[in-house]
Amino acid sequence: MDWILDNLWQAWLGLAIVLGVAEMFSLDLVLIMVAVGAVAGMTTALLGAPFVLQAVVAAGASVAMLALVRPPIAKRFHGGPELSLGHGKLVGQRAIVTQTITGLEVGRIKIGGEIWTAAPYDEHLTLVPGQSVEVLAIKGATAYVHPVGVIES
């Protein structure tokens, strides 16, 4: 027991290494934060502080790491790009009118290599073949489109 009290920095280092290795198996970013606290305790021991102060510094550093550093890192690791599937990925895309579209008659557009039934988002518009449009919504199998460059007032 006297050896541990005389070499507390080595005990803190050993604890940090064990926690670091254990983190490799758990991968939940908790043990590595506690390991950083052990390194802070080791640094305090190297400065010659009493054990109680070493323990307080280690605990404080661990809590600070868990509260301040882990949440943004965990969010970054566990989050990912937003994945759009199905027809929802077509909203906001540009398309080309292939068949005249009016407020009274649906037409066709080509978007993403597919032909879709389309209606004008503003029922007073007439869209002619070759015109570039943007898909504003999709309801069922009909895309609601608006010409690109037209500003509503």
Side-chain angles (χ1 to χ4, degrees):
M1 190 70 174
D2 288 333
W3 181 87
I4 292 178
L5 292 176
D6 292 337
N7 300 295
L8 274 175
W9 73 270
Q10 293 171 340
W12 285 113
L13 178 61
L15 178 62
I17 291 170
V18 168
L19 289 169
V21 169
E23 177 64 37
M24 286 188 226
F25 295 103
S26 71
L27 296 176
D28 61 357
L29 301 175
V30 172
L31 297 176
I32 197 69
M33 301 299 160
V34 178
V36 170
V39 170
M42 178 192 76
T43 304
T44 310
L46 285 171
L47 296 174
F51 176 73
V52 173
L53 182 59
Q54 294 171 30
V56 168
V57 168
S62 296
V63 168
M65 292 293 289
L66 287 167
L68 301 175
V69 177
R70 185 182 180 276
I73 292 175
K75 183 178 180 182
R76 185 172 180 102
F77 283 156
H78 295 290
E82 186 177 319
L83 185 59
S84 297
L85 297 174
H87 65 270
K89 69 181 178 181
L90 299 177
V91 175
Q93 300 273 332
R94 292 195 179 188
I96 300 295
V97 176
T98 60
Q99 180 184 352
T100 303
I101 304 169
T102 66
L104 301 174
E105 182 180 335
V106 296
R108 304 243 187 256
I109 60 170
K110 184 172 186 176
I111 182 168
E114 298 177 341
I115 300 295
W116 278 74
T117 303
Y121 195 77
D122 178 359
E123 61 190 35
H124 303 297
L125 291 175
T126 298
L127 306 169
V128 295
Q131 192 170 2
S132 182
V133 293
E134 180 180 354
V135 177
L136 297 180
I138 294 183
K139 295 178 185 170
T142 303
Y144 289 85
V145 297
H146 196 71
V148 175
V150 173
I151 300 173
E152 302 233 359
S153 53

